[in-house]
Amino acid sequence: MNTVRAIRDKLDHARQLLDAGEPTLPELAAATGLSASHLQRQFNARFGLSPAQYLAQRKLGTLRSALREGSDVSAALYDAGYGSPSRIYESGAAKLGMTPARYRAGGEGEQIRWSIADTALGQALVATTERGVCMIELGEDADALEAKLRDEFPRAALERVDVGRDEFLAPRVREVADALAGKQVHVPVDLIGTAFQKKVWDALMKIPRGQTRSYSQIAVELGAPQGARAVASACAHNRVAVVVPCHRVVRSDGSLGGYRWGLPMKQRVLERERAA
Protein backbone atom coordinates (compact mmCIF):
# COMPACT_ATOMS: atom_id res chain seq x y z
CA MET A 1 0.00 0.00 0.00
CA ASN A 2 2.85 2.35 0.87
CA THR A 3 4.51 1.50 -2.45
CA VAL A 4 1.31 2.34 -4.33
CA ARG A 5 1.02 5.64 -2.47
CA ALA A 6 4.67 6.47 -3.17
CA ILE A 7 4.19 5.90 -6.90
CA ARG A 8 1.03 8.02 -6.87
CA ASP A 9 2.94 10.83 -5.16
CA LYS A 10 5.64 10.62 -7.83
CA LEU A 11 3.03 10.71 -10.58
CA ASP A 12 1.36 13.72 -8.95
CA HIS A 13 4.76 15.40 -8.82
CA ALA A 14 5.27 14.68 -12.52
CA ARG A 15 1.88 16.22 -13.24
CA GLN A 16 2.80 19.34 -11.23
CA LEU A 17 6.00 19.70 -13.24
CA LEU A 18 3.99 19.44 -16.46
CA ASP A 19 1.59 22.11 -15.19
CA ALA A 20 4.50 24.43 -14.43
CA GLY A 21 6.61 23.96 -17.55
CA GLU A 22 7.51 21.71 -20.48
CA PRO A 23 9.82 19.00 -19.12
CA THR A 24 10.83 16.11 -21.36
CA LEU A 25 10.13 12.50 -20.44
CA PRO A 26 13.78 11.91 -19.39
CA GLU A 27 13.63 15.04 -17.21
CA LEU A 28 10.42 13.83 -15.58
CA ALA A 29 11.96 10.42 -15.02
CA ALA A 30 14.99 11.97 -13.34
CA ALA A 31 12.81 14.21 -11.15
CA THR A 32 10.59 11.35 -9.98
CA GLY A 33 13.18 8.58 -9.70
CA LEU A 34 11.23 6.32 -12.07
CA SER A 35 12.48 4.91 -15.34
CA ALA A 36 11.11 6.65 -18.41
CA SER A 37 9.19 3.58 -19.57
CA HIS A 38 7.74 2.90 -16.10
CA LEU A 39 6.76 6.55 -15.68
CA GLN A 40 5.09 6.52 -19.11
CA ARG A 41 3.03 3.41 -18.30
CA GLN A 42 2.05 4.48 -14.78
CA PHE A 43 1.22 8.06 -15.79
CA ASN A 44 -1.02 6.80 -18.58
CA ALA A 45 -2.73 4.36 -16.21
CA ARG A 46 -3.40 7.07 -13.60
CA PHE A 47 -4.36 10.00 -15.79
CA GLY A 48 -5.54 8.32 -18.99
CA LEU A 49 -2.91 9.87 -21.25
CA SER A 50 0.85 10.05 -21.62
CA PRO A 51 2.95 12.91 -20.17
CA ALA A 52 3.34 14.34 -23.68
CA GLN A 53 -0.42 14.19 -24.27
CA TYR A 54 -1.07 15.76 -20.88
CA LEU A 55 1.29 18.62 -21.70
CA ALA A 56 -0.42 19.07 -25.06
CA GLN A 57 -3.82 19.23 -23.37
CA ARG A 58 -2.54 21.74 -20.82
CA LYS A 59 -1.25 24.03 -23.55
CA LEU A 60 -4.41 23.50 -25.57
CA GLY A 61 -6.48 24.38 -22.50
CA THR A 62 -4.65 27.68 -22.15
CA LEU A 63 -5.26 28.33 -25.82
CA ARG A 64 -8.95 27.46 -25.61
CA SER A 65 -9.52 29.71 -22.62
CA ALA A 66 -7.89 32.62 -24.41
CA LEU A 67 -9.97 32.03 -27.53
CA ARG A 68 -13.16 31.74 -25.48
CA GLU A 69 -12.34 35.12 -23.96
CA GLY A 70 -11.99 36.64 -27.43
CA SER A 71 -8.21 36.83 -27.79
CA ASP A 72 -6.64 37.12 -31.22
CA VAL A 73 -5.80 33.64 -32.53
CA SER A 74 -2.14 34.38 -33.25
CA ALA A 75 -1.58 36.06 -29.89
CA ALA A 76 -3.37 33.23 -28.09
CA LEU A 77 -1.16 30.65 -29.82
CA TYR A 78 2.03 32.39 -28.76
CA ASP A 79 0.77 32.97 -25.20
CA ALA A 80 -0.08 29.27 -24.88
CA GLY A 81 3.53 28.42 -25.72
CA TYR A 82 3.26 27.14 -29.30
CA GLY A 83 5.83 29.59 -30.68
CA SER A 84 4.25 29.58 -34.13
CA PRO A 85 0.85 28.59 -35.51
CA SER A 86 2.28 25.42 -37.07
CA ARG A 87 3.52 24.18 -33.68
CA ILE A 88 -0.01 23.32 -32.54
CA TYR A 89 -0.04 20.64 -35.25
CA GLU A 90 3.60 19.59 -34.85
CA SER A 91 3.08 19.05 -31.13
CA GLY A 92 0.17 16.69 -31.69
CA ALA A 93 -2.23 18.95 -29.79
CA ALA A 94 -4.48 19.18 -32.82
CA LYS A 95 -5.16 15.45 -32.45
CA LEU A 96 -6.52 16.03 -28.95
CA GLY A 97 -9.31 18.31 -29.95
CA MET A 98 -10.40 21.18 -32.13
CA THR A 99 -8.20 23.54 -34.05
CA PRO A 100 -8.30 27.10 -32.69
CA ALA A 101 -10.56 28.19 -35.54
CA ARG A 102 -12.96 25.31 -34.89
CA TYR A 103 -13.16 25.98 -31.19
CA ARG A 104 -13.81 29.65 -31.73
CA ALA A 105 -16.44 28.64 -34.29
CA GLY A 106 -18.37 26.67 -31.67
CA GLY A 107 -16.78 23.26 -31.97
CA GLU A 108 -17.13 22.86 -35.70
CA GLY A 109 -15.67 19.49 -36.70
CA GLU A 110 -15.77 17.95 -33.21
CA GLN A 111 -17.55 14.59 -32.86
CA ILE A 112 -19.60 14.34 -29.65
CA ARG A 113 -21.94 11.52 -28.64
CA TRP A 114 -24.44 12.03 -25.86
CA SER A 115 -27.30 10.48 -23.90
CA ILE A 116 -29.76 11.52 -21.23
CA ALA A 117 -30.28 9.07 -18.39
CA ASP A 118 -32.54 8.91 -15.37
CA THR A 119 -30.52 8.89 -12.15
CA ALA A 120 -31.13 8.96 -8.41
CA LEU A 121 -31.16 12.77 -8.58
CA GLY A 122 -33.09 13.36 -11.77
CA GLN A 123 -31.95 13.48 -15.36
CA ALA A 124 -28.31 13.75 -16.41
CA LEU A 125 -26.98 14.53 -19.86
CA VAL A 126 -23.62 12.85 -20.48
CA ALA A 127 -21.58 13.88 -23.53
CA THR A 128 -18.30 12.34 -24.65
CA THR A 129 -15.55 12.91 -27.16
CA GLU A 130 -13.27 10.03 -28.16
CA ARG A 131 -11.09 10.99 -25.17
CA GLY A 132 -13.71 10.82 -22.43
CA VAL A 133 -16.61 12.66 -20.83
CA CYS A 134 -16.52 16.31 -21.87
CA MET A 135 -19.78 17.56 -20.37
CA ILE A 136 -22.37 16.57 -17.78
CA GLU A 137 -25.54 18.58 -17.23
CA LEU A 138 -28.13 17.99 -14.53
CA GLY A 139 -31.78 18.96 -14.54
CA GLU A 140 -35.38 17.87 -14.98
CA ASP A 141 -36.04 19.14 -18.51
CA ALA A 142 -34.46 17.02 -21.25
CA ASP A 143 -34.96 19.75 -23.85
CA ALA A 144 -33.20 22.29 -21.62
CA LEU A 145 -30.31 19.89 -21.07
CA GLU A 146 -29.90 19.37 -24.80
CA ALA A 147 -30.09 23.13 -25.37
CA LYS A 148 -27.16 23.65 -22.97
CA LEU A 149 -25.08 21.11 -24.85
CA ARG A 150 -25.85 22.76 -28.16
CA ASP A 151 -25.05 26.16 -26.69
CA GLU A 152 -21.63 24.92 -25.53
CA PHE A 153 -20.86 23.20 -28.86
CA PRO A 154 -23.17 24.92 -31.37
CA ARG A 155 -21.36 23.67 -34.47
CA ALA A 156 -20.08 20.31 -33.33
CA ALA A 157 -21.37 17.07 -34.83
CA LEU A 158 -23.67 15.99 -32.00
CA GLU A 159 -25.03 12.46 -32.08
CA ARG A 160 -27.63 11.35 -29.58
CA VAL A 161 -27.28 7.69 -28.61
CA ASP A 162 -29.89 5.59 -26.84
CA VAL A 163 -28.72 4.73 -23.33
CA GLY A 164 -26.78 1.46 -23.33
CA ARG A 165 -26.24 1.23 -27.09
CA ASP A 166 -22.74 2.68 -27.36
CA GLU A 167 -19.80 0.66 -26.07
CA PHE A 168 -17.83 3.79 -25.17
CA LEU A 169 -20.64 6.00 -23.91
CA ALA A 170 -22.78 3.43 -22.05
CA PRO A 171 -20.33 2.62 -19.22
CA ARG A 172 -19.65 6.31 -18.70
CA VAL A 173 -23.37 7.01 -18.36
CA ARG A 174 -23.58 4.24 -15.76
CA GLU A 175 -20.61 5.68 -13.86
CA VAL A 176 -22.21 9.13 -13.76
CA ALA A 177 -25.45 7.60 -12.47
CA ASP A 178 -23.44 5.79 -9.78
CA ALA A 179 -21.70 9.04 -8.83
CA LEU A 180 -25.06 10.74 -8.39
CA ALA A 181 -26.05 7.87 -6.11
CA GLY A 182 -23.05 8.70 -3.92
CA LYS A 183 -20.79 5.87 -5.07
CA GLN A 184 -17.07 6.03 -5.74
CA VAL A 185 -16.38 6.06 -9.49
CA HIS A 186 -13.49 6.43 -11.92
CA VAL A 187 -14.63 8.08 -15.14
CA PRO A 188 -12.30 8.94 -18.07
CA VAL A 189 -12.78 12.64 -18.73
CA ASP A 190 -11.82 15.11 -21.43
CA LEU A 191 -10.84 18.00 -19.16
CA ILE A 192 -9.26 20.94 -20.87
CA GLY A 193 -8.70 24.16 -18.95
CA THR A 194 -5.99 26.42 -17.71
CA ALA A 195 -3.22 25.03 -15.53
CA PHE A 196 -4.79 26.65 -12.46
CA GLN A 197 -8.25 25.32 -13.25
CA LYS A 198 -6.87 21.80 -13.56
CA LYS A 199 -5.07 22.19 -10.24
CA VAL A 200 -8.37 23.19 -8.64
CA TRP A 201 -10.24 20.28 -10.25
CA ASP A 202 -7.53 17.86 -9.15
CA ALA A 203 -7.79 19.21 -5.58
CA LEU A 204 -11.56 18.73 -5.66
CA MET A 205 -11.20 15.10 -6.70
CA LYS A 206 -9.00 14.50 -3.66
CA ILE A 207 -11.68 15.64 -1.18
CA PRO A 208 -13.17 12.47 0.38
CA ARG A 209 -16.80 11.74 -0.43
CA GLY A 210 -19.21 13.32 2.00
CA GLN A 211 -16.68 15.92 3.15
CA THR A 212 -16.31 19.55 2.16
CA ARG A 213 -13.60 22.20 1.93
CA SER A 214 -13.94 25.96 1.67
CA TYR A 215 -12.86 27.97 -1.35
CA SER A 216 -10.21 29.56 0.87
CA GLN A 217 -8.89 26.18 2.02
CA ILE A 218 -8.47 25.05 -1.57
CA ALA A 219 -6.71 28.30 -2.43
CA VAL A 220 -4.27 27.89 0.45
CA GLU A 221 -3.65 24.27 -0.51
CA LEU A 222 -2.72 25.42 -4.02
CA GLY A 223 -0.32 28.06 -2.72
CA ALA A 224 -2.60 30.97 -3.64
CA PRO A 225 -4.05 32.14 -0.28
CA GLN A 226 -5.71 35.16 -1.93
CA GLY A 227 -7.18 33.04 -4.70
CA ALA A 228 -10.57 32.04 -3.26
CA ARG A 229 -12.38 33.86 -6.07
CA ALA A 230 -10.21 32.15 -8.67
CA VAL A 231 -11.08 28.80 -7.09
CA ALA A 232 -14.77 29.70 -7.26
CA SER A 233 -14.32 30.66 -10.91
CA ALA A 234 -12.68 27.32 -11.67
CA CYS A 235 -15.62 25.56 -10.04
CA ALA A 236 -18.02 27.60 -12.15
CA HIS A 237 -16.15 26.54 -15.31
CA ASN A 238 -16.35 22.85 -14.43
CA ARG A 239 -18.40 21.14 -17.13
CA VAL A 240 -18.19 17.65 -15.65
CA ALA A 241 -20.66 17.73 -12.78
CA VAL A 242 -20.18 15.38 -9.81
CA VAL A 243 -17.23 13.54 -11.41
CA VAL A 244 -15.20 16.68 -10.73
CA PRO A 245 -16.93 17.35 -7.39
CA CYS A 246 -17.28 21.12 -7.11
CA HIS A 247 -20.27 20.38 -4.86
CA ARG A 248 -17.74 19.60 -2.12
CA VAL A 249 -16.58 23.22 -1.95
CA VAL A 250 -18.47 25.58 0.37
CA ARG A 251 -18.08 29.03 1.88
CA SER A 252 -15.85 29.63 4.91
CA ASP A 253 -18.91 29.85 7.17
CA GLY A 254 -20.07 26.41 6.06
CA SER A 255 -22.95 27.64 3.89
CA LEU A 256 -23.25 25.99 0.49
CA GLY A 257 -22.38 29.00 -1.66
CA GLY A 258 -23.05 28.77 -5.38
CA TYR A 259 -23.65 25.81 -7.68
CA ARG A 260 -24.33 25.69 -11.41
CA TRP A 261 -27.20 23.25 -10.91
CA GLY A 262 -28.77 25.02 -7.93
CA LEU A 263 -28.23 24.76 -4.18
CA PRO A 264 -30.95 22.11 -3.67
CA MET A 265 -29.07 19.82 -6.07
CA LYS A 266 -25.77 20.55 -4.29
CA GLN A 267 -27.35 19.64 -0.96
CA ARG A 268 -28.84 16.43 -2.35
CA VAL A 269 -25.55 15.29 -3.90
CA LEU A 270 -23.71 15.88 -0.62
CA GLU A 271 -26.40 14.04 1.35
CA ARG A 272 -26.17 11.06 -1.01
CA GLU A 273 -22.42 10.90 -0.58
CA ARG A 274 -22.64 11.12 3.19
CA ALA A 275 -25.26 8.39 3.27
CA ALA A 276 -23.12 6.14 1.08
Side-chain angles (χ1 to χ4, degrees):
M1 185 66 177
N2 289 334
T3 301
V4 173
R5 185 178 295 111
I7 291 177
R8 286 187 123 194
D9 289 343
K10 290 180 179 182
L11 295 175
D12 287 340
H13 180 52
R15 186 179 184 181
Q16 291 168 2
L17 293 174
L18 289 167
D19 282 337
E22 298 186 32
T24 64
L25 182 60
E27 288 171 342
L28 286 175
T32 59
L34 299 173
S35 70
S37 59
H38 188 52
L39 172 61
Q40 181 97 337
R41 288 194 303 272
Q42 292 296 323
F43 194 95
N44 191 75
R46 177 157 169 72
F47 299 115
L49 65 176
S50 70
Q53 291 171 329
Y54 181 90
L55 177 60
Q57 278 207 2
R58 191 262 291 172
K59 293 172 68 175
L60 187 58
T62 301
L63 174 63
R64 286 182 167 183
S65 295
L67 292 173
R68 180 70 78 182
E69 293 169 2
S71 296
D72 174 76
V73 171
S74 295
L77 283 166
Y78 283 103
D79 289 343
Y82 288 108
S84 67
S86 63
R87 290 296 300 279
I88 189 170
Y89 302 101
E90 295 169 2
S91 68
K95 298 177 183 178
L96 295 173
M98 312 170 207
T99 64
R102 272 188 196 167
Y103 186 74
R104 203 167 191 178
E108 185 174 358
E110 186 79 352
Q111 302 290 321
I112 297 174
R113 287 170 288 174
W114 63 280
S115 288
I116 293 179
D118 291 323
T119 74
L121 295 178
Q123 293 188 312
L125 180 147
V126 182
T128 69
T129 65
E130 62 183 5
R131 301 169 296 281
V133 175
C134 64
M135 187 172 178
I136 298 171
E137 282 289 336
L138 310 177
E140 298 297 335
D141 187 328
D143 291 337
L145 293 176
E146 180 178 350
K148 289 181 180 179
L149 175 65
R150 295 189 179 281
D151 183 61
E152 183 72 13
F153 302 103
R155 296 185 181 180
L158 301 176
E159 178 186 358
R160 182 166 187 172
V161 180
D162 291 340
V163 175
R165 294 195 177 184
D166 185 299
E167 292 182 359
F168 185 83
L169 181 57
R172 281 134 187 90
V173 173
R174 288 195 298 272
E175 292 275 2
V176 171
D178 286 344
L180 286 166
K183 299 178 182 178
Q184 182 72 44
V185 299
H186 298 284
V187 184
V189 291
D190 185 3
L191 290 178
I192 299 179
T194 66
F196 183 78
Q197 285 173 337
K198 286 192 289 187
K199 287 180 180 179
V200 172
W201 298 334
D202 187 54
L204 301 188
M205 288 187 280
K206 293 177 181 178
I207 302 173
R209 285 180 300 152
Q211 296 185 24
T212 59
R213 301 289 186 272
S214 71
Y215 297 104
S216 297
Q217 285 175 315
I218 297 295
V220 169
E221 179 182 331
L222 297 179
Q226 304 302 315
R229 288 188 177 181
V231 171
S233 177
C235 291
H237 284 86
N238 169 28
R239 291 295 181 268
V240 188
V242 183
V243 174
V244 176
C246 53
H247 59 274
R248 296 176 189 164
V249 189
V250 298
R251 291 175 176 166
S252 297
D253 63 2
S255 61
L256 292 181
Y259 195 55
R260 288 185 63 231
W261 297 275
L263 295 185
M265 177 64 76
K266 186 171 187 175
Q267 183 66 50
R268 291 169 69 194
V269 175
L270 282 172
E271 288 174 351
R272 284 274 177 177
E273 289 189 340
R274 287 165 181 159

